[in-house]
Amino acid sequence: NSLVGGQEFSLTCLFLRFWVALLQRDQQLHGNQNRSAKTPNFMDENYQSRETISLGLFFTALIVTIVFNELGSGEKPNKQPKREKARQRAIDALLLGGILRLLAAVLRTLTASYSSDTVYALALFGMVVHLFTCDYAYANGRTKIPPTSVRNRRPAFLGGTMSLNAALFATTLLVSRLSSNLTVYGFFSSSIVLFGFYPATRHAVSSQQNAHYVVFYITAAITCATLVLLDRTIERFFFMLGFATITLVAPTWKYLLQHRKRIVSGPWDIAHVSVGE
């Protein structure tokens, strides 16, 4: 069960690291002389190879998720006809794509009057809120989805509304520091896919039989993709420390604390009436 929590942590770190890479690329393309000497050169072959490996691992995990979801035998109470589902997905994609493309210039200059430190702090706070308010019971496949009463009705988002709002809030702040409208459009679109559409697919995968092997592979692939993309040793250390705490330390600590649990009885308990013979 802790693998899903570690997967969400790795996915969030990978998302933030891709934003850092895009920001560094914009700074180098525009000749920013204030960048740190430790900032990697995106034209370097070593950096490009690491970026390619990271993207390859991420898309491999995404493909495995989609294939296992389509071929699995899990319970799908809201399953729609393929034609209707394709029509709804096409309409959603066109609407979201058109709106984001029109608002890309507005999003890019939305926080121009704010300092970068304020934007970074608020964005980091938003992603932390996203991690803490994510519905992990739904992500683990434990939440049963009731069938929709209306055939054409779209299923509601059940992955945590506050978590989704916090992730989109942080994304809105982060894209305001990018310099290209096309980059803003692509980054915001990827945020909607990862935090808006992926939780439903992850729930469908986790609710199927023998899904722990697939969940383990997806988590390992996303974690390796994040490690490959990180530049500094201190970044890798803190990332692995957080991941190990979520997936190993916290579950082990909870298991050990269960042996110290005591049952305390008192007058606050519900009264039980016993009838003598």
Side-chain angles (χ1 to χ4, degrees), residues 100-131:
L100 287 178
R101 188 63 186 91
L102 293 175
L103 295 179
V106 178
L107 293 173
R108 186 172 58 85
T109 58
L110 188 62
T111 60
S113 59
Y114 293 88
S115 64
S116 297
D117 293 337
T118 302
V119 171
Y120 299 157
L122 289 175
L124 184 60
F125 174 75
M127 297 310 293
V128 171
V129 172
H130 161 72
L131 286 175

mmCIF file of all heavy atoms in Angstrom, residues 100-131:
data_model
loop_
_atom_site.group_PDB
_atom_site.id
_atom_site.type_symbol
_atom_site.label_atom_id
_atom_site.label_comp_id
_atom_site.label_asym_id
_atom_site.label_seq_id
_atom_site.Cartn_x
_atom_site.Cartn_y
_atom_site.Cartn_z
ATOM 1 N N LEU A 100 -6.384 26.164 -22.999
ATOM 2 C CA LEU A 100 -5.010 26.355 -22.546
ATOM 3 C C LEU A 100 -4.174 27.119 -23.562
ATOM 4 O O LEU A 100 -3.325 27.942 -23.199
ATOM 5 C CB LEU A 100 -4.370 24.998 -22.244
ATOM 6 C CG LEU A 100 -4.840 24.293 -20.977
ATOM 7 C CD1 LEU A 100 -4.154 22.947 -20.839
ATOM 8 C CD2 LEU A 100 -4.565 25.151 -19.749
ATOM 9 N N ARG A 101 -4.423 26.853 -24.845
ATOM 10 C CA ARG A 101 -3.650 27.574 -25.876
ATOM 11 C C ARG A 101 -3.985 29.056 -25.869
ATOM 12 O O ARG A 101 -3.105 29.910 -26.057
ATOM 13 C CB ARG A 101 -3.948 26.972 -27.261
ATOM 14 C CG ARG A 101 -3.044 27.521 -28.350
ATOM 15 C CD ARG A 101 -1.608 27.148 -28.073
ATOM 16 N NE ARG A 101 -0.672 27.769 -29.006
ATOM 17 C CZ ARG A 101 -0.073 28.933 -28.814
ATOM 18 N NH1 ARG A 101 -0.312 29.616 -27.691
ATOM 19 N NH2 ARG A 101 0.765 29.416 -29.702
ATOM 20 N N LEU A 102 -5.246 29.400 -25.631
ATOM 21 C CA LEU A 102 -5.635 30.808 -25.582
ATOM 22 C C LEU A 102 -5.129 31.499 -24.316
ATOM 23 O O LEU A 102 -4.815 32.693 -24.341
ATOM 24 C CB LEU A 102 -7.158 30.928 -25.673
ATOM 25 C CG LEU A 102 -7.791 30.513 -27.006
ATOM 26 C CD1 LEU A 102 -9.307 30.568 -26.911
ATOM 27 C CD2 LEU A 102 -7.296 31.403 -28.145
ATOM 28 N N LEU A 103 -5.050 30.743 -23.225
ATOM 29 C CA LEU A 103 -4.644 31.327 -21.947
ATOM 30 C C LEU A 103 -3.151 31.194 -21.679
ATOM 31 O O LEU A 103 -2.696 31.596 -20.606
ATOM 32 C CB LEU A 103 -5.413 30.670 -20.803
ATOM 33 C CG LEU A 103 -6.931 30.898 -20.777
ATOM 34 C CD1 LEU A 103 -7.547 30.166 -19.592
ATOM 35 C CD2 LEU A 103 -7.248 32.387 -20.709
ATOM 36 N N ALA A 104 -2.392 30.635 -22.612
ATOM 37 C CA ALA A 104 -0.955 30.418 -22.368
ATOM 38 C C ALA A 104 -0.233 31.736 -22.124
ATOM 39 O O ALA A 104 0.595 31.855 -21.209
ATOM 40 C CB ALA A 104 -0.336 29.683 -23.547
ATOM 41 N N ALA A 105 -0.532 32.753 -22.925
ATOM 42 C CA ALA A 105 0.129 34.052 -22.755
ATOM 43 C C ALA A 105 -0.264 34.705 -21.436
ATOM 44 O O ALA A 105 0.557 35.371 -20.782
ATOM 45 C CB ALA A 105 -0.221 34.958 -23.925
ATOM 46 N N VAL A 106 -1.512 34.520 -21.029
ATOM 47 C CA VAL A 106 -1.962 35.090 -19.750
ATOM 48 C C VAL A 106 -1.287 34.383 -18.584
ATOM 49 O O VAL A 106 -0.837 35.022 -17.622
ATOM 50 C CB VAL A 106 -3.491 34.988 -19.639
ATOM 51 C CG1 VAL A 106 -3.971 35.534 -18.295
ATOM 52 C CG2 VAL A 106 -4.162 35.740 -20.776
ATOM 53 N N LEU A 107 -1.209 33.059 -18.641
ATOM 54 C CA LEU A 107 -0.563 32.298 -17.567
ATOM 55 C C LEU A 107 0.918 32.629 -17.459
ATOM 56 O O LEU A 107 1.474 32.645 -16.358
ATOM 57 C CB LEU A 107 -0.749 30.803 -17.807
ATOM 58 C CG LEU A 107 -2.178 30.264 -17.703
ATOM 59 C CD1 LEU A 107 -2.228 28.806 -18.134
ATOM 60 C CD2 LEU A 107 -2.717 30.414 -16.295
ATOM 61 N N ARG A 108 1.552 32.901 -18.596
ATOM 62 C CA ARG A 108 2.998 33.171 -18.580
ATOM 63 C C ARG A 108 3.328 34.471 -17.866
ATOM 64 O O ARG A 108 4.411 34.609 -17.291
ATOM 65 C CB ARG A 108 3.518 33.210 -20.026
ATOM 66 C CG ARG A 108 5.019 33.346 -20.138
ATOM 67 C CD ARG A 108 5.449 33.188 -21.585
ATOM 68 N NE ARG A 108 4.806 34.154 -22.447
ATOM 69 C CZ ARG A 108 5.258 35.404 -22.651
ATOM 70 N NH1 ARG A 108 6.353 35.821 -22.021
ATOM 71 N NH2 ARG A 108 4.628 36.215 -23.466
ATOM 72 N N THR A 109 2.432 35.440 -17.883
ATOM 73 C CA THR A 109 2.675 36.739 -17.251
ATOM 74 C C THR A 109 1.764 36.973 -16.055
ATOM 75 O O THR A 109 1.574 38.118 -15.639
ATOM 76 C CB THR A 109 2.451 37.857 -18.282
ATOM 77 O OG1 THR A 109 1.107 37.775 -18.791
ATOM 78 C CG2 THR A 109 3.428 37.730 -19.438
ATOM 79 N N LEU A 110 1.213 35.914 -15.499
ATOM 80 C CA LEU A 110 0.215 36.073 -14.443
ATOM 81 C C LEU A 110 0.823 36.621 -13.159
ATOM 82 O O LEU A 110 0.194 37.418 -12.461
ATOM 83 C CB LEU A 110 -0.452 34.718 -14.171
ATOM 84 C CG LEU A 110 -1.658 34.723 -13.236
ATOM 85 C CD1 LEU A 110 -2.782 35.565 -13.825
ATOM 86 C CD2 LEU A 110 -2.142 33.302 -12.984
ATOM 87 N N THR A 111 2.035 36.207 -12.822
ATOM 88 C CA THR A 111 2.680 36.635 -11.567
ATOM 89 C C THR A 111 3.910 37.492 -11.854
ATOM 90 O O THR A 111 4.912 37.393 -11.145
ATOM 91 C CB THR A 111 3.071 35.416 -10.738
ATOM 92 O OG1 THR A 111 3.996 34.607 -11.493
ATOM 93 C CG2 THR A 111 1.861 34.581 -10.379
ATOM 94 N N ALA A 112 3.816 38.341 -12.878
ATOM 95 C CA ALA A 112 4.969 39.175 -13.232
ATOM 96 C C ALA A 112 5.313 40.168 -12.132
ATOM 97 O O ALA A 112 6.467 40.572 -11.980
ATOM 98 C CB ALA A 112 4.691 39.910 -14.541
ATOM 99 N N SER A 113 4.320 40.581 -11.347
ATOM 100 C CA SER A 113 4.556 41.572 -10.289
ATOM 101 C C SER A 113 5.035 40.947 -8.991
ATOM 102 O O SER A 113 5.317 41.674 -8.030
ATOM 103 C CB SER A 113 3.269 42.366 -10.025
ATOM 104 O OG SER A 113 2.214 41.502 -9.629
ATOM 105 N N TYR A 114 5.137 39.620 -8.929
ATOM 106 C CA TYR A 114 5.591 38.943 -7.719
ATOM 107 C C TYR A 114 7.047 38.530 -7.882
ATOM 108 O O TYR A 114 7.512 38.252 -8.990
ATOM 109 C CB TYR A 114 4.729 37.708 -7.437
ATOM 110 C CG TYR A 114 3.307 38.021 -7.080
ATOM 111 C CD1 TYR A 114 2.346 38.165 -8.070
ATOM 112 C CD2 TYR A 114 2.909 38.176 -5.759
ATOM 113 C CE1 TYR A 114 1.021 38.448 -7.761
ATOM 114 C CE2 TYR A 114 1.586 38.462 -5.433
ATOM 115 C CZ TYR A 114 0.652 38.600 -6.445
ATOM 116 O OH TYR A 114 -0.645 38.878 -6.125
ATOM 117 N N SER A 115 7.738 38.460 -6.760
ATOM 118 C CA SER A 115 9.136 38.024 -6.798
ATOM 119 C C SER A 115 9.196 36.517 -7.030
ATOM 120 O O SER A 115 8.264 35.774 -6.708
ATOM 121 C CB SER A 115 9.844 38.380 -5.497
ATOM 122 O OG SER A 115 9.270 37.674 -4.414
ATOM 123 N N SER A 116 10.315 36.080 -7.581
ATOM 124 C CA SER A 116 10.477 34.651 -7.863
ATOM 125 C C SER A 116 10.502 33.823 -6.590
ATOM 126 O O SER A 116 9.991 32.689 -6.567
ATOM 127 C CB SER A 116 11.764 34.423 -8.668
ATOM 128 O OG SER A 116 11.691 35.054 -9.920
ATOM 129 N N ASP A 117 11.071 34.355 -5.518
ATOM 130 C CA ASP A 117 11.110 33.603 -4.256
ATOM 131 C C ASP A 117 9.701 33.335 -3.732
ATOM 132 O O ASP A 117 9.409 32.246 -3.226
ATOM 133 C CB ASP A 117 11.920 34.378 -3.213
ATOM 134 C CG ASP A 117 13.394 34.467 -3.578
ATOM 135 O OD1 ASP A 117 13.851 33.607 -4.357
ATOM 136 O OD2 ASP A 117 14.072 35.378 -3.084
ATOM 137 N N THR A 118 8.826 34.331 -3.854
ATOM 138 C CA THR A 118 7.441 34.150 -3.409
ATOM 139 C C THR A 118 6.733 33.094 -4.246
ATOM 140 O O THR A 118 6.014 32.238 -3.725
ATOM 141 C CB THR A 118 6.683 35.483 -3.499
ATOM 142 O OG1 THR A 118 7.349 36.471 -2.701
ATOM 143 C CG2 THR A 118 5.253 35.326 -3.006
ATOM 144 N N VAL A 119 6.946 33.140 -5.554
ATOM 145 C CA VAL A 119 6.317 32.163 -6.449
ATOM 146 C C VAL A 119 6.814 30.757 -6.147
ATOM 147 O O VAL A 119 6.021 29.800 -6.066
ATOM 148 C CB VAL A 119 6.585 32.547 -7.914
ATOM 149 C CG1 VAL A 119 6.127 31.441 -8.853
ATOM 150 C CG2 VAL A 119 5.884 33.847 -8.266
ATOM 151 N N TYR A 120 8.125 30.603 -5.955
ATOM 152 C CA TYR A 120 8.683 29.281 -5.681
ATOM 153 C C TYR A 120 8.178 28.729 -4.350
ATOM 154 O O TYR A 120 7.859 27.529 -4.244
ATOM 155 C CB TYR A 120 10.203 29.337 -5.674
ATOM 156 C CG TYR A 120 10.813 29.776 -6.982
ATOM 157 C CD1 TYR A 120 12.089 30.319 -7.041
ATOM 158 C CD2 TYR A 120 10.089 29.662 -8.177
ATOM 159 C CE1 TYR A 120 12.641 30.709 -8.248
ATOM 160 C CE2 TYR A 120 10.635 30.071 -9.377
ATOM 161 C CZ TYR A 120 11.915 30.590 -9.413
ATOM 162 O OH TYR A 120 12.465 30.997 -10.610
ATOM 163 N N ALA A 121 8.107 29.588 -3.327
ATOM 164 C CA ALA A 121 7.646 29.138 -2.015
ATOM 165 C C ALA A 121 6.177 28.708 -2.061
ATOM 166 O O ALA A 121 5.803 27.671 -1.503
ATOM 167 C CB ALA A 121 7.844 30.241 -0.979
ATOM 168 N N LEU A 122 5.338 29.490 -2.735
ATOM 169 C CA LEU A 122 3.923 29.131 -2.844
ATOM 170 C C LEU A 122 3.728 27.869 -3.669
ATOM 171 O O LEU A 122 2.867 27.033 -3.349
ATOM 172 C CB LEU A 122 3.142 30.298 -3.458
ATOM 173 C CG LEU A 122 2.953 31.530 -2.575
ATOM 174 C CD1 LEU A 122 2.264 32.634 -3.370
ATOM 175 C CD2 LEU A 122 2.147 31.192 -1.331
ATOM 176 N N ALA A 123 4.508 27.722 -4.741
ATOM 177 C CA ALA A 123 4.396 26.524 -5.568
ATOM 178 C C ALA A 123 4.822 25.279 -4.788
ATOM 179 O O ALA A 123 4.167 24.222 -4.874
ATOM 180 C CB ALA A 123 5.236 26.675 -6.830
ATOM 181 N N LEU A 124 5.908 25.384 -4.038
ATOM 182 C CA LEU A 124 6.348 24.249 -3.226
ATOM 183 C C LEU A 124 5.319 23.914 -2.153
ATOM 184 O O LEU A 124 5.035 22.730 -1.894
ATOM 185 C CB LEU A 124 7.696 24.567 -2.582
ATOM 186 C CG LEU A 124 8.344 23.441 -1.764
ATOM 187 C CD1 LEU A 124 8.597 22.218 -2.639
ATOM 188 C CD2 LEU A 124 9.638 23.927 -1.131
ATOM 189 N N PHE A 125 4.729 24.935 -1.556
ATOM 190 C CA PHE A 125 3.677 24.699 -0.562
ATOM 191 C C PHE A 125 2.472 24.002 -1.202
ATOM 192 O O PHE A 125 1.878 23.099 -0.611
ATOM 193 C CB PHE A 125 3.250 26.032 0.065
ATOM 194 C CG PHE A 125 2.082 25.911 0.999
ATOM 195 C CD1 PHE A 125 2.241 25.377 2.265
ATOM 196 C CD2 PHE A 125 0.824 26.339 0.598
ATOM 197 C CE1 PHE A 125 1.156 25.265 3.132
ATOM 198 C CE2 PHE A 125 -0.258 26.228 1.450
ATOM 199 C CZ PHE A 125 -0.096 25.690 2.723
ATOM 200 N N GLY A 126 2.117 24.413 -2.412
ATOM 201 C CA GLY A 126 1.011 23.768 -3.111
ATOM 202 C C GLY A 126 1.268 22.298 -3.395
ATOM 203 O O GLY A 126 0.366 21.453 -3.235
ATOM 204 N N MET A 127 2.490 21.955 -3.785
ATOM 205 C CA MET A 127 2.799 20.554 -4.057
ATOM 206 C C MET A 127 2.837 19.721 -2.772
ATOM 207 O O MET A 127 2.463 18.540 -2.773
ATOM 208 C CB MET A 127 4.138 20.446 -4.785
ATOM 209 C CG MET A 127 4.155 21.119 -6.152
ATOM 210 S SD MET A 127 2.785 20.655 -7.229
ATOM 211 C CE MET A 127 3.145 18.937 -7.548
ATOM 212 N N VAL A 128 3.266 20.330 -1.667
ATOM 213 C CA VAL A 128 3.241 19.617 -0.382
ATOM 214 C C VAL A 128 1.795 19.341 0.031
ATOM 215 O O VAL A 128 1.457 18.238 0.493
ATOM 216 C CB VAL A 128 3.984 20.421 0.697
ATOM 217 C CG1 VAL A 128 3.773 19.805 2.071
ATOM 218 C CG2 VAL A 128 5.476 20.486 0.375
ATOM 219 N N VAL A 129 0.925 20.343 -0.140
ATOM 220 C CA VAL A 129 -0.503 20.141 0.153
ATOM 221 C C VAL A 129 -1.082 19.054 -0.749
ATOM 222 O O VAL A 129 -1.900 18.226 -0.316
ATOM 223 C CB VAL A 129 -1.266 21.470 -0.011
ATOM 224 C CG1 VAL A 129 -2.779 21.245 0.097
ATOM 225 C CG2 VAL A 129 -0.817 22.473 1.033
ATOM 226 N N HIS A 130 -0.655 19.039 -1.999
ATOM 227 C CA HIS A 130 -1.116 17.997 -2.913
ATOM 228 C C HIS A 130 -0.755 16.604 -2.416
ATOM 229 O O HIS A 130 -1.583 15.681 -2.455
ATOM 230 C CB HIS A 130 -0.509 18.235 -4.298
ATOM 231 C CG HIS A 130 -0.528 17.031 -5.181
ATOM 232 N ND1 HIS A 130 -1.677 16.540 -5.752
ATOM 233 C CD2 HIS A 130 0.477 16.196 -5.577
ATOM 234 C CE1 HIS A 130 -1.400 15.466 -6.470
ATOM 235 N NE2 HIS A 130 -0.101 15.238 -6.377
ATOM 236 N N LEU A 131 0.456 16.433 -1.911
ATOM 237 C CA LEU A 131 0.889 15.125 -1.424
ATOM 238 C C LEU A 131 0.116 14.697 -0.180
ATOM 239 O O LEU A 131 -0.240 13.525 -0.033
ATOM 240 C CB LEU A 131 2.388 15.153 -1.131
ATOM 241 C CG LEU A 131 3.334 15.159 -2.341
ATOM 242 C CD1 LEU A 131 4.776 15.306 -1.882
ATOM 243 C CD2 LEU A 131 3.172 13.893 -3.155
#
